[in-house]
Every structure is written in C-alpha cells, then in structure tokens.
Amino acid sequence: MKICFSLAALAGMASLAQAHMQMSWPPPFRSKFNKYTTDIDYSMTSPLFLDGGNYPCKGYHSALNTSQGQSVVNWEAGQTNNFTIVGTATHAGGSCQASLSFDQGKTWKVIHSYISQCPLKSSWQFTLPNDTPSGDALFAWSWFNQLGNREMYMNCAHVTIRGGTSVIKERSAADSISKRPAIFVANVANVCGTLEGADVVFPQPGPDVDRASGKTSPPVGNCG
C-alpha cells in the first residue's frame, strides 16, 4: 500500500508540475479546444524551449491555412474582444501581452500589455487598433511568470480581421497598428531575461496597458 500511495503521489506531483496555463480562446493551433485540431498537443501548457528553437508559437503556426490551421474567429478592427486563459499553475501571475502578426509570425505588433497579476483571472480584454489590416493574422498570448523557472509561454491562433482601414477612426493617431511596439521576447537564449519574484515591466508596452499593483521589475540584459 505504501508503494502504491507513493507512486500515486509522485504521479500527482508530476501532473501539477506540468499543468501550467494555456489559451483556450481563441483556440490555438494543436489545442484540444480547437475543433480543427487532428493531432492534439497534450503538453500545450509547457513553455517555449529555453534555446528559443520553437519561437514563435511553439512552431505550430506552420499549420497556418492547412486543414487543422483554419481561422477560428472573425474580429472587427476597432472593436473590443477578449482572450481566455485556463489552467491551475499561475506561478503567482506575472505579465502578459496580446500581439498580432501579419507575416506568418516573422514580426509581431503588441496590441495590449498586462503588467502584473496575469493570468490570475481567466478573461482578458483588448481593443484592436482602428487601422488593423483586414485579412488573415496570427494572434498570440505570451506570458512571463512571476515565480518558478525563467521561461516564456506562448500560444497562437489563426484569426481573421474584418473592417481594416475602412473603419472610422475615433481614437488617436498613436493608436495606429504601425506605431505599436514589437512583442517582448525573453528567457529563450537571447540576451534578455526576467527576474524571479517580480512581474516584468515591458520596456515598450504600447499605448494600451493594464497595470495592477504588485512587485514589478524591469527585465535584465539587453532587451531593446
């Protein structure tokens, strides 16, 4: 009985260790939440490789426009939308970003930054810039956990943007997608890192930022 209990306890510990967080909406490539997925990644909650070999999107964006890489949602430029994060190991939160890529993941534009307490709740709102280009895009949720190993988490989904530059501009010129900063990248064998025990303050968070009270710190290294 002792041996059986010990094995069960170890299995439970291993399960908790691997149960980080993941984006469920919009459903990412190879996610169990994605109706188009044919080969589910059961380690979807795992971080990116420390050597950066599967940045961005864990490499799953290569499925774009294949049968299991179809668009999962239609969004309107200028409108407010949300993404949802699920899981049990929040690592005391941290800081997240929501970003878009229009060139199949080569470059990214940040549309909202969340500094501290992300993802301690499940649903997070953002508003697309009014001049967000129409057509196919990649949407990414990226997360830098406060506690635990220094890692970067990233899930990506295929989305379709409608409206584009035809949307009447009601926000300032600074809202333009062309003026948005690049996504923050750290802890993946580059020259930028984050400090454990603190929520990273993004050097260039962009004009749309949620700041929650908490222990924050700038990144370390050459982070641009």
Side-chain angles (χ1 to χ4, degrees):
M1 290 295 293
K2 290 183 178 180
I3 294 177
C4 292
F5 176 80
S6 178
L7 290 175
L10 288 174
M13 291 175 63
S15 176
L16 288 174
Q18 295 176 1
H20 298 292
M21 309 297 289
Q22 63 180 307
M23 183 169 71
S24 61
W25 178 262
F29 298 106
R30 293 192 60 185
S31 168
K32 65 181 181 180
F33 299 105
N34 191 329
K35 66 181 181 181
Y36 299 117
T37 295
T38 55
D39 58 337
I40 295 174
D41 174 15
Y42 290 101
S43 63
M44 181 63 71
T45 60
S46 63
L48 297 177
F49 294 155
L50 292 179
D51 64 4
N54 62 349
Y55 172 84
C57 306
K58 301 181 74 175
Y60 298 161
H61 61 304
S62 61
L64 185 68
N65 290 322
T66 65
S67 59
Q68 68 169 339
Q70 300 177 58
S71 177
V72 293
V73 66
N74 294 321
W75 286 336
E76 297 287 337
Q79 290 191 348
T80 298
N81 302 284
N82 72 284
F83 63 91
T84 303
I85 305 300
V86 297
T88 57
T90 61
H91 294 280
S95 297
C96 302
Q97 288 186 314
S99 306
L100 286 172
S101 174
F102 306 97
D103 55 9
Q104 300 184 3
K106 297 181 180 67
T107 61
W108 296 85
K109 291 289 188 178
V110 173
I111 54 177
H112 205 115
S113 292
Y114 312 85
I115 299 173
S116 293
Q117 299 188 21
C118 183
L120 298 186
K121 62 180 183 179
S122 60
S123 184
W124 299 81
Q125 288 192 334
F126 61 89
T127 300
L128 292 176
N130 288 309
D131 62 349
T132 303
S134 297
D136 291 332
L138 294 175
F139 174 81
W141 162 71
S142 52
W143 171 43
F144 300 89
N145 51 308
Q146 184 191 109
L147 297 180
N149 295 332
R150 299 298 79 206
E151 297 167 330
M152 177 176 179
Y153 295 80
M154 188 177 191
N155 293 156
C156 302
H158 179 183
V159 302
T160 300
I161 310 297
R162 295 177 176 175
T165 55
S166 66
V167 175
I168 298 175
K169 299 189 185 307
E170 298 176 350
R171 305 176 76 191
S172 69
D175 177 62
S176 173
I177 191 74
S178 65
K179 298 182 181 297
R180 295 303 177 101
I183 191 173
F184 177 75
V185 180
N187 303 328
V188 286
N190 55 351
V191 292
C192 181
T194 61
L195 294 176
E196 184 176 10
D199 301 322
V200 64
V201 176
F202 301 116
Q204 299 182 53
D208 289 347
V209 188
D210 287 357
R211 300 177 188 271
S213 60
K215 183 179 180 181
T216 59
S217 173
V220 294
N222 184 1
C223 299

